[in-house]
């Protein structure tokens, strides 16, 4: 009767409101991460300097003293927090796109691993969500494996930001940090290196699947020196979430980007996503396009203290072939045509 109709209408209204609320929480979760990525380090540095000039200077002085004492912690595996990695905000972050982690093979806890993550995209959203949080269940899918996402060492010189990054299991992508994790931290460690780095981000564009890999062999040499197995990882959709202005080789824009990349470690990109209140306007929020990260089959690597260039080239070639096979096997499952080819630069 009438009562049932009213109840049904109220239930529909309730679920509509709940759906809208979840969407807003998803937007907020992504926005806070984008702002963290872009400005948190600089903002925290400026705030700390300001506090030093106020009556609360003692608070800033205590933190700076702690910073000096704790300076080398990022190089020694960091200080991860399972509580932070399990925050509910990361599940909203995951569902905004959504982001999914696909396991294809088991990983032995008696071995260490170097994951090569491709492509970089603008911000490496899939790499962060899958390996620096528990939103996609990395610990359940790979029990006994501790993932460490490697990023620019300069981020760990920024106050507050360094602690925030370490809480997610993020480490500097430098020799000291990687050597420590692979040689002095037991087994069952997996370092995720975004191999293409800043150079690859410059060519990131929607509808294009290309990786910067031909001359990136340092990670293979590290794997050989530590006897760490190599694991190719490809994120379908990573390049789709932002639109970027691509500067041609030889242009002034590309010259500026390469100078930044050489001297600072990152390349400034001109990009845009959607607006905060509408997907039809430009803004900093990424587009809600699905990102599916596929972890491939590990390549068994022998331990060679001083590998020759020939040995490095051999295992690098194996890795490239394995990545291409992974891409070809899964491309049609995640929205790409069978004719799509992975471009290796």
């Amino acid at each position: 009767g009438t009562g049932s109709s009213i109840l049904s209408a109220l239930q529909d209204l309730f679920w509509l409101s709940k759906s809208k609320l979840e969407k807003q929480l998803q937007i907020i979760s992504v926005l806070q991460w984008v702002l963290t990525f872009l400005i948190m380090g600089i903002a925290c540095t400026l705030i700390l300097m300001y506090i030093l000039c106020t009556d609360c200077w003692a608070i800033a002085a205590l933190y700076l003293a702690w910073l000096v004492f704790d300076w080398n912690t990022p190089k020694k595996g960091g200080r991860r927090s399972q509580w932070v990695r399990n925050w509910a905000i990361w599940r909203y972050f995951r569902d905004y796109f959504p982001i999914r982690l696909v396991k294809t093979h088991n990983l032995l806890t008696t071995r260490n691993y170097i994951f090569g993550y491709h492509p970089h995209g603008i911000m490496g959203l899939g790499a962060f969500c899958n390996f620096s949080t528990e939103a996609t269940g990395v610990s359940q899918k790979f029990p006994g494996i501790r993932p460490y996402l490697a990023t620019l060492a300069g981020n760990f010189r920024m106050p507050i930001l360094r602690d925030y990054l370490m809480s997610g299991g993020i480490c500097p992508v430098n020799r000291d940090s990687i050597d420590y994790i692979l040689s002095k931290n037991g087994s069952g460690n997996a370092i995720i290196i975004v191999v293409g780095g800043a150079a690859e981000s410059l060519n990131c564009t929607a509808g294009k699947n290309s990786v910067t890999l031909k001359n990136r062999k340092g990670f293979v040499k590290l794997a050989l020196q530590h006897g760490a197995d190599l694991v190719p990882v490809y994120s379908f959709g990573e390049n789709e979430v932002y639109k970027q202005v691509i500067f041609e080789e030889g242009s002034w824009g590309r010259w500026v980007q390469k100078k930044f990349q050489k001297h600072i470690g990152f390349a400034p990109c001109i990009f845009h996503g959607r607006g905060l209140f509408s997907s039809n306007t430009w803004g900093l929020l990424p587009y809600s396009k699905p990102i599916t990260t596929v972890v491939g089959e590990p390549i068994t690597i022998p331990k060679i203290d001083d590998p020759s260039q020939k040995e490095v080239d051999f295992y690098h070639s194996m890795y490239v072939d394995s990545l291409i096979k992974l891409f070809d096997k899964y491309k049609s499952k995640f929205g790409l045509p069978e004719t799509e080819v992975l471009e290796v630069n």
Side-chain angles (χ1 to χ4, degrees):
T2 305
S4 299
S5 300
I6 294 173
L7 181 59
S8 178
L10 288 173
Q11 286 176 336
D12 289 343
L13 181 61
F14 171 77
W15 286 112
L16 181 62
S17 299
K18 184 178 179 181
S19 175
K20 286 184 177 179
L21 176 61
E22 287 186 349
K23 189 61 180 177
Q24 293 306 312
L25 289 172
Q26 290 169 13
I27 290 173
I28 291 168
S29 69
V30 175
L31 179 63
Q32 68 83 27
W33 189 87
V34 170
L35 293 177
T36 296
F37 182 91
L38 294 175
I39 66 171
M40 183 177 179
I42 295 173
C44 288
T45 301
L46 293 174
I47 291 170
L48 197 66
M49 291 172 63
Y50 170 76
I51 293 174
L52 278 171
C53 301
T54 68
D55 293 338
C56 298
W57 64 268
I59 296 173
L62 283 172
Y63 178 79
L64 289 174
W66 161 253
L67 195 61
V68 172
F69 174 78
D70 195 55
W71 190 254
N72 288 323
T73 298
K75 298 178 183 178
K76 297 180 179 180
R79 188 170 47 246
R80 74 175 55 220
S81 166
Q82 287 302 116
W83 176 65
V84 173
R85 287 175 60 89
N86 281 285
W87 277 353
I89 196 171
W90 306 132
R91 295 192 290 276
Y92 288 113
F93 182 97
R94 171 199 67 197
D95 293 340
Y96 172 86
F97 297 93
I99 296 173
R100 179 185 172 202
L101 180 65
V102 176
K103 169 186 174 180
T104 63
H105 291 79
N106 292 324
L107 299 181
L108 300 174
T109 57
T110 54
R111 300 286 291 174
N112 284 325
Y113 302 90
I114 293 180
F115 287 19
Y117 184 92
H118 314 269
H120 183 287
I122 296 293
M123 296 185 184
L125 293 158
F128 171 79
C129 185
N130 285 308
F131 301 113
S132 293
T133 81
E134 295 296 332
T136 56
V138 63
S139 293
Q140 287 72 44
K141 291 176 181 176
F142 300 103
I145 301 297
R146 291 181 297 277
Y148 293 87
L149 177 60
T151 188
L152 289 175
N155 289 325
F156 296 88
R157 301 187 187 102
M158 301 285 191
I160 310 300
L161 175 64
R162 66 188 293 276
D163 301 287
Y164 189 40
L165 294 177
M166 284 194 291
S167 68
I170 301 176
C171 68
V173 62
N174 59 29
R175 184 62 185 261
D176 290 342
S177 177
I178 294 171
D179 282 347
Y180 183 91
I181 292 170
L182 294 180
S183 64
K184 298 178 182 178
N185 202 43
S187 60
N189 302 293
I191 296 180
I192 297 89
I193 299 177
V194 186
V195 178
E200 190 173 84
S201 69
L202 296 179
N203 296 315
C204 160
T205 184
K208 184 177 181 181
N209 289 281
S210 66
V211 296
T212 302
L213 182 57
K214 278 184 180 178
N215 297 315
R216 299 293 174 106
K217 300 180 181 181
F219 73 106
V220 177
K221 187 174 182 179
L222 280 170
L224 285 164
Q225 289 172 334
H226 292 284
D229 294 348
L230 288 170
V231 182
V233 179
Y234 197 85
S235 258
F236 295 90
E238 184 73 63
N239 285 346
E240 308 299 317
V241 295
Y242 279 111
K243 295 179 181 178
Q244 181 183 189
V245 176
I246 304 294
F247 293 102
E248 296 296 327
E249 289 292 339
S251 66
W252 68 270
R254 182 54 65 99
W255 180 84
V256 170
Q257 289 177 322
K258 287 189 172 180
K259 286 295 182 182
F260 265 83
Q261 179 189 337
K262 180 179 179 180
H263 297 292
I264 301 178
F266 74 93
C269 302
I270 299 178
F271 65 92
H272 73 84
R274 53 155 291 183
L276 181 60
F277 301 106
S278 171
S279 59
N280 296 320
T281 58
W282 287 11
L284 287 177
L285 279 176
Y287 294 105
S288 52
K289 304 285 187 178
I291 299 174
T292 305
T293 302
V294 184
V295 180
E297 182 178 5
I299 303 167
T300 303
I301 302 294
K303 189 176 187 303
I304 305 174
D305 292 332
D306 187 20
S308 65
Q309 189 59 49
K310 185 177 180 180
E311 289 167 327
V312 172
D313 290 344
F314 174 75
Y315 284 101
H316 180 268
S317 178
M318 283 183 63
Y319 178 86
V320 173
D321 289 344
S322 183
L323 178 65
I324 293 172
K325 288 177 182 177
L326 180 72
F327 178 85
D328 288 341
K329 183 177 180 179
Y330 288 93
K331 61 187 178 183
S332 61
K333 294 182 180 179
F334 303 120
L336 298 178
E338 283 290 347
T339 54
E340 184 73 18
V341 175
L342 178 62
E343 182 182 323
V344 180
N345 300 312

